[in-house]
Structure formats: C-alpha cells, structure tokens
Amino acid sequence: MTDFEFKNKYNIDDFLHIMKLLRSPGGCPWDIEQTHESIKKNLIEETYEVIEAINKKDKDLLCEELGDLLMQIVFHTQMEEEKGTFTFDDVCDGICKKLIVRHPHVFGDVTVNGSDDVLRNWDEIKLKTKGQKTAGESMLSVPRELPALMRAQKLQQKAAKTGFDWADVSGALEKVSEETGELKETLADADGGNQLEELGDLLFSVVNVSRFIGCDSEEALTSANDKFLARFLKVEELAEKKGINMKESSLEELDLLWDEAKTLV
C-alpha cells in the first residue's frame, strides 16, 4: 500500500498528489494504462454531468460533478507532467495570464460600458494574442469536435461580425424555405448523396434563425427532445388506459392519441 496521509479535509495539493500516486509504479493499474485518447470521452461525459447538476439546481450534486470534471483536467495534466512537457502550475499560470490580458477593464486602464464592450474587447484581444488576422482564421479555430449545432452558431456569429449576415430574421426564414424546397427536390430524385448535403444546409439555415431570435440552437433542440419524450410517454400511458395496441394501430389512431397528449403535457 502506498504511503499516504489520511485527512478530514483535502485541498488541491492533495488532489494532485493522489493523482500522481495513482499513476505511479505500484499505483492503480487502470489509471496507469490510460492515455489522453482513452479517456477523452470521459471529459465530455463529466462536462455534461455538470450541466445536468446545474439544470437540476442540485448544489450537492454540482459540487460532486465539478470534482469529477476537475479530476479529468488533473488526469490529463499528470500525463504531461510525466513527460516533462507541462505541469498543473503551468496550466494555472496560462489561464491566469489569459484572464488578466483579456480583462483590461479590470487589470488595466480600459473603460467599458457594459458587457457588450467586454465581449467586443475579448474578441479583439483574442484575435491579436492568437495571431489571427482575418475572420476566416478565427472561424478555423472553432473546434470541429463541437456539437454540430453549437459549431454552426459559432461560425455564423463570427461571420456576422464582418457584416456577412442577413439584415433581419426575415432573410434567415426565407433561406429556411429555400433549403426546404431544395431538400424536397432531392427526395424526389432519390439522390442519397444530395439529400445529406441539402439536409445539412437546411439545419444550418435553421440555426441562423435561432441566432437571430436570440435562442441557443442546442438548448432549443434539447427542449424539443424533452417535449417529444414527455408527450410520447403520455401517448403510451393513454394507449394502455384505452386498451390500444400501438403497434397494431393506424397512424390516424396514433395521431388522435398524440393530439390528446398535447393537451395534457
């Protein structure tokens, strides 16, 4: 057993020490075997679990999940420390310097009038510090690994800052109609390749509408998913009460159940 001091209360230094012990010879075989690639999905899962805790407004769960998320950061950092590339202190140093540079209204003599000025300064400073001279270069920095709706919205926001945008939401809505028509044409031609492309264009145009009306497209779709699930569960409940076998029912019969569910959920 590894020598370790048990305490009633631990801090970040203890956390870093524990991770080092887990990865060291004689530590945990599973932890020792892991690489950045093998646990990268864990980082995403833990992030979503933090979001779940926030949505549930569960402070105890939030505290726990933030710890799990922090463990992923410490885990990845420990791997690099073992290689001699950087340490947790380097990670902290980097983010501290970034925050100081990007908040000149707090740590410098820049004056701002509200959060809009803050975001504008942040973007300008980000472009300079990353050596990005064009909007295109900034757009290329948006990770392809982001959820597609989120990435679409970010790309559109960056393009809009150059003036490449509709004058108002009506233009975005007309584009949705146009892309819907083009998708219908591909369906008539039964061209699978073009269907994928046109469906993507339609989704992208819908995200544009979401951006114009001040909605987050990911949250909008999540809400729609939740509503669909709640209503489908109600349809199943109604079908059971009425002695209806859903698999043997016609679409018209199911539509009637759906309409009834809509009045209840």
Side-chain angles (χ1 to χ4, degrees):
M1 181 176 179
T2 303
D3 291 334
F4 181 72
E5 179 185 358
F6 293 94
K7 301 180 179 181
N8 291 324
K9 191 80 171 180
Y10 298 95
N11 56 34
I12 187 63
D13 291 327
D14 296 314
F15 194 2
L16 295 173
H17 182 54
I18 288 171
M19 183 55 69
K20 185 173 293 186
L21 289 176
L22 291 173
R23 291 271 300 174
S24 64
C28 173
W30 185 88
D31 288 297
I32 294 171
E33 291 173 356
Q34 301 315 303
T35 64
H36 291 305
E37 290 72 24
S38 69
I39 63 169
K40 63 183 180 182
K41 289 184 179 179
N42 298 41
L43 179 59
I44 296 173
E45 290 172 4
E46 297 298 352
T47 301
Y48 281 121
E49 289 178 8
V50 169
I51 300 301
E52 179 187 22
I54 292 173
N55 290 341
K56 289 182 175 179
K57 295 181 170 53
D58 187 328
K59 304 305 179 185
D60 292 334
L61 182 61
L62 178 59
C63 182
E64 176 185 349
E65 296 301 344
L66 285 172
D68 290 344
L69 180 57
L70 180 58
M71 184 187 73
Q72 296 301 314
I73 296 169
V74 170
F75 206 149
H76 284 281
T77 304
Q78 175 60 31
M79 293 179 192
E80 291 306 310
E81 183 169 347
E82 292 164 7
K83 300 174 186 176
T85 50
F86 61 80
T87 67
F88 188 76
D89 283 344
D90 294 324
V91 173
C92 294
D93 176 65
I95 189 59
C96 285
K97 288 176 178 175
K98 180 185 292 185
L99 289 173
I100 291 169
V101 169
R102 295 190 185 178
H103 290 80
H105 53 289
V106 177
F107 303 103
D109 54 6
V110 172
T111 300
V112 296
N113 295 310
S115 59
D116 286 345
D117 283 354
V118 171
L119 293 176
R120 188 160 39 251
N121 287 339
W122 179 283
D123 287 339
E124 291 176 358
I125 294 169
K126 185 176 180 179
L127 285 172
K128 291 179 181 178
T129 55
K130 289 186 174 293
Q132 296 168 349
K133 298 179 181 180
T134 67
E137 289 178 344
S138 176
M139 292 165 75
L140 284 170
S141 70
V142 177
R144 192 174 186 275
E145 290 74 15
L146 282 176
L149 292 179
M150 185 183 297
R151 183 178 180 225
Q153 196 146 343
K154 284 183 173 292
L155 291 173
Q156 292 170 5
Q157 288 168 345
K158 289 181 179 295
K161 290 175 182 177
T162 70
F164 191 79
D165 204 3
W166 304 107
D168 54 47
V169 70
S170 62
L173 283 169
E174 288 176 9
K175 190 64 175 175
V176 171
S177 297
E178 177 188 327
E179 296 298 349
T180 300
E182 292 180 6
L183 177 59
K184 287 180 179 179
E185 290 177 8
T186 65
L187 293 175
D189 294 339
D191 188 336
N194 282 341
Q195 287 170 13
L196 178 65
E197 179 181 349
E198 295 301 340
L199 178 60
D201 290 346
L202 175 57
L203 291 171
F204 191 83
S205 64
V206 170
V207 172
N208 234 338
V209 174
S210 175
R211 179 176 59 86
F212 260 103
I213 63 178
C215 291
D216 182 279
S217 52
E218 284 284 343
E219 291 183 5
L221 185 54
T222 295
S223 178
N225 289 338
D226 291 341
K227 181 170 64 176
F228 174 81
L229 176 58
R231 289 179 177 173
F232 185 83
L233 292 174
K234 181 59 67 175
V235 166
E236 284 188 323
E237 180 184 324
L238 292 170
E240 184 176 359
K241 287 181 179 179
K242 297 174 185 288
I244 297 174
N245 186 324
M246 291 179 61
K247 291 183 179 180
E248 296 177 357
S249 300
S250 67
L251 181 58
E252 289 74 15
E253 291 173 318
L254 294 177
D255 275 342
L256 289 174
L257 288 175
W258 181 262
D259 288 340
E260 186 177 349
K262 287 173 64 176
T263 67
L264 301 172
V265 180

